[in-house]
Amino acid sequence: MDYTINVRNRLLNLDTPIVMGILNVTPDSFYANSRISTEAEVIERSRQILAEGGVIIDVGACSTRPGSTPASEEEETLRLRRALRILRQELPEAVVSVDTFRPEVASMAVKEFGIDIINDISGGSEEMFRTVSRLGVPYILTSVKSSMREMLLDFSEKVQQLRDLGQKDIILDPGYGFGKTLEENYEILKVQEHLQVMELPLLVGVSRKSMIFRMLETTPEESLNGTTVLNTIALMKGANILRVHDVKEAVECCKLVGLCFSSLA
């Protein structure tokens, strides 16, 4: 389906799938090679995402990997302010999302730095819904449900809540790796196309996750090939945005899948 989202009064077209590059300003992300700490690294990684064809830079300052202890709100805010200040100075026109489950952090990011999108991996809350609706920015709603049936019911209820609050741009994320067993992730991926009934754009983030390296008995560092395979399947089942560590490879994946489908049309 054809979708657009409003980003700072500009329409971002999702008719052709796009890539969101991950910028982790955390010391404890599950994928060690993605951790960024210095000003120079923030600039280098941001420029790399855009140079390799990424459209959105997704900044996260609080690790949500399984078994981790989340950073305090104060620490998350401090990390984000440092990174976002640099980003806005160096790349003022870049489309930036913030990965957070805290309404106050979301509010700070938008009000102080004009962040374009809030990416909430928590499954949503009334407070967050009210916050993003007031801020008027696109919102990524992640599901922590473990079956497609539960996911569709939950999405339907929460999308209606957001609509009632006046939220316009909503992106759905099936939440691979969140609240799901290894097997449940694959059961949902098998029928991911059912989410198109919601008539909303779909973001998929499987990059180097445990659903890949546990299944293949490898490590996050060895999971690029598995990531590309699952990204290809996700695109064929309706993904509009791929959230990834490896931007160049994901952009190539989008291009080749797009060529296959356009040649068959």
Side-chain angles (χ1 to χ4, degrees), residues 149-206:
R149 180 179 182 278
E150 291 177 334
M151 188 178 295
L152 285 169
L153 290 171
D154 189 56
F155 272 151
S156 296
E157 179 182 342
K158 289 177 177 176
V159 166
Q160 189 58 55
Q161 290 177 24
L162 285 160
R163 294 294 193 211
D164 290 344
L165 289 166
Q167 179 66 22
K168 293 181 173 59
D169 291 309
I170 303 168
I171 299 164
L172 302 180
D173 179 350
Y176 294 111
F178 294 103
K180 302 165 183 65
T181 66
L182 183 65
E183 294 76 17
E184 287 166 345
N185 284 306
Y186 285 96
E187 289 301 318
I188 290 169
L189 182 58
K190 286 179 186 177
V191 293
Q192 180 187 280
E193 66 274 13
H194 292 181
L195 290 171
Q196 293 183 22
V197 72
M198 298 298 301
E199 298 186 350
L200 290 170
L202 181 66
L203 179 146
V204 167
V206 296

Side-chain angles (χ1 to χ4, degrees), residues 2-258:
D2 297 338
Y3 298 112
T4 57
I5 57 173
N6 190 325
V7 175
R8 279 185 279 169
N9 295 318
R10 296 177 298 172
L11 290 181
L12 180 58
N13 195 320
L14 303 179
D15 291 358
T16 300
I18 63 171
V19 173
M20 169 189 281
I22 298 168
L23 196 166
N24 281 324
V25 288
T26 60
D28 55 348
S29 172
F30 77 91
Y31 177 41
N33 291 345
S34 72
R35 299 169 189 168
I36 300 295
S37 57
T38 69
E39 178 176 336
E41 288 174 334
V42 170
I43 295 171
E44 181 183 6
R45 174 58 177 163
S46 300
R47 292 190 181 281
Q48 178 191 23
I49 289 170
L50 299 181
E52 292 183 356
V55 175
I56 304 170
I57 301 172
D58 189 50
V59 185
C62 179
S63 177
T64 53
R65 64 182 174 86
S68 67
T69 300
S72 67
E73 184 169 323
E74 180 181 9
E75 180 62 27
E76 182 185 10
T77 300
L78 181 66
R79 293 172 183 171
L80 275 175
R81 281 194 170 119
R82 187 183 302 126
L84 296 177
R85 187 175 295 111
I86 296 165
L87 250 177
R88 281 305 188 218
Q89 288 172 354
E90 295 293 321
L91 299 165
E93 297 304 311
V95 179
V96 180
S97 63
V98 161
D99 179 353
T100 186
F101 57 88
R102 293 176 168 129
E104 288 301 317
V105 174
S107 184
M108 176 279 297
V110 175
K111 290 179 178 178
E112 294 185 20
F113 299 98
I115 294 314
D116 305 292
I117 301 167
I118 296 300
N119 181 12
D120 176 12
I121 54 83
S122 72
S125 67
E126 289 187 15
E127 185 180 358
M128 181 63 93
F129 291 171
R130 290 194 296 270
T131 298
V132 294
S133 298
R134 286 196 302 269
L135 295 170
V137 295
Y139 175 62
I140 300 170
L141 172 63
T142 303
S143 177
V144 296
K145 299 300 182 181
S146 58
S147 73
M148 182 55 69
R149 180 179 182 278
E150 291 177 334
M151 188 178 295
L152 285 169
L153 290 171
D154 189 56
F155 272 151
S156 296
E157 179 182 342
K158 289 177 177 176
V159 166
Q160 189 58 55
Q161 290 177 24
L162 285 160
R163 294 294 193 211
D164 290 344
L165 289 166
Q167 179 66 22
K168 293 181 173 59
D169 291 309
I170 303 168
I171 299 164
L172 302 180
D173 179 350
Y176 294 111
F178 294 103
K180 302 165 183 65
T181 66
L182 183 65
E183 294 76 17
E184 287 166 345
N185 284 306
Y186 285 96
E187 289 301 318
I188 290 169
L189 182 58
K190 286 179 186 177
V191 293
Q192 180 187 280
E193 66 274 13
H194 292 181
L195 290 171
Q196 293 183 22
V197 72
M198 298 298 301
E199 298 186 350
L200 290 170
L202 181 66
L203 179 146
V204 167
V206 296
S207 184
R208 296 182 182 267
K209 285 186 173 180
S210 62
M211 66 181 288
I212 298 169
F213 65 79
R214 283 177 55 204
M215 181 64 74
L216 299 178
E217 299 181 350
T218 58
T219 66
E221 288 72 23
E222 299 171 287
S223 297
L224 175 56
N225 186 59
T227 297
T228 300
V229 171
L230 295 195
N231 278 339
T232 301
I233 294 169
L235 289 169
M236 294 174 70
K237 289 177 172 288
N240 304 97
I241 305 171
L242 296 179
R243 181 182 182 273
V244 301
H245 299 94
D246 308 281
V247 173
K248 178 177 179 290
E249 291 79 359
V251 168
E252 291 176 348
C253 187
C254 289
K255 183 176 182 179
L256 292 176
V257 171

